[in-house]
Amino acid sequence: MIVDCAIYREGRRTEGPEDFSDALEEARASGHAFVWIGLHEPTEAEFDKVSQEFGLHPLAVEDALKAHQRPKLEVYDDSLFLVLKPVVYEQDSDTVSSGEVMVFMGDSFVVTVRHGEGAPLGAVRHRLEADPDVLKHGPTAVLYSIADASVDHYLEVADELQADLEILEAEVFSPDVGGSRNTASRIYTFKRQILEFRRATGPLALPIARLSGAGPFGTTVPFVDESAQPFFRDVNDHLTRVNESVEGLDRLVSDILSAHLAQMSVRQNDDMRKISAWAAMAAVPTMIAGIYGMNFDHMPELHWVWTYPAVIGLMVVLEFGLYRMFKRRGWL
């Protein structure tokens, strides 16, 4: 559905025609205005009228309707198409969920399409409307603000993941909790969340680099004001920090998982040594009792009065000797 539609002149919101085509013509006629239309999960019928009025490319329209796209930047004859994936980290369930924001930008217009609940478009629009000095720079200001808000939120999510990972790390190396059965499952689940986060941040590096003038396809991007390149470079710096943080988190989680598995292996070896030691100690009296339980007439000291206490004493001495030996070697 259409969430908002407005004409902005010199950075200020003004009333305009309800028809998309008339609003676009009026914005282009004034020379210092543009139309900004926001849509949330539009149907094909709803988006068809918008795409026809603004001349959006069919391939980009298909991507905007189907969603589930990687972050990317496409330049067509009449418009620019940028895909971002805002993320939300739900601390209650320790899950990372991502939405999608598609931005169509052309001559005097911006069309934003939002999928999911993680997109910051409402806050971006309100912040821009409260700052006419930024909004008067036109569609480029809208594109920059959306990218900047998304990447800044990436930094917040990365910090939250880092804090939760430190808690998980402390639990893994805790002598009481580290050996629980679901620890490996929790670590793997956390690694899956980092992978979901990486899918949003990693592919965005090249589009932001192109917008900042550092891309491999030239120093300028059509429909983007060259004076905005320093601001996009700032966004690119923040995104680089995010990607470095994600790489560090992924390596650390892998190291924690390896350490946990090694820790479990050591504990299993300790358990097996203890079991073996107790089995060896149980074998000595079992052997002696088994021999003397065969009821033969001719056995050593069978009819001696002190045979029974002597055999029991021998068992105790041997058991004590084995216990001391296993204790010194760390098996018990």
Side-chain angles (χ1 to χ4, degrees), residues 102-274:
M102 285 82 168
V103 183
F104 295 88
M105 194 179 78
D107 182 16
S108 301
F109 73 86
V110 176
V111 177
T112 56
V113 181
R114 176 168 62 92
H115 292 268
E117 301 298 330
L121 295 185
V124 170
R125 187 186 287 264
H126 292 152
R127 186 166 62 251
L128 283 174
E129 290 178 353
D131 192 356
D133 291 337
V134 175
L135 192 56
K136 70 180 182 180
H137 290 88
T140 300
V142 176
L143 183 68
Y144 159 73
S145 298
I146 294 174
D148 183 59
S150 298
V151 173
D152 284 347
H153 190 60
Y154 288 162
L155 290 171
E156 297 175 6
V157 173
D159 291 339
E160 293 174 354
L161 286 171
Q162 179 66 43
D164 286 353
L165 182 58
E166 291 175 357
I167 296 175
L168 180 60
E169 183 180 15
E171 293 179 359
V172 167
F173 292 102
S174 171
D176 298 329
V177 185
S180 60
R181 293 183 178 180
N182 63 342
T183 302
S185 177
R186 289 186 57 201
I187 298 174
Y188 183 76
T189 300
F190 197 90
K191 190 174 181 65
R192 292 286 301 175
Q193 307 313 313
I194 295 177
L195 177 60
E196 181 69 21
F197 192 24
R198 174 183 282 179
R199 288 173 178 168
T201 64
L204 187 59
L206 181 58
I208 297 299
R210 290 182 62 186
L211 292 172
S212 66
F217 303 105
T219 58
T220 61
V221 176
F223 310 108
V224 177
D225 192 345
E226 291 187 26
S227 62
Q229 288 183 352
F231 297 94
F232 282 109
R233 282 197 290 271
D234 181 67
V235 176
N236 191 35
D237 290 341
H238 291 176
L239 183 60
T240 301
R241 286 174 50 196
V242 172
N243 284 325
E244 290 176 351
S245 179
V246 172
E247 290 290 337
L249 288 172
D250 185 61
R251 288 195 299 269
L252 187 57
V253 170
S254 298
D255 292 342
I256 290 175
L257 180 59
S258 299
H260 171 68
L261 295 177
Q263 190 179 39
M264 292 297 294
S265 178
V266 170
R267 289 183 179 180
Q268 289 176 354
N269 290 335
D270 289 340
D271 293 339
M272 289 301 300
R273 286 191 298 179
K274 291 179 180 180

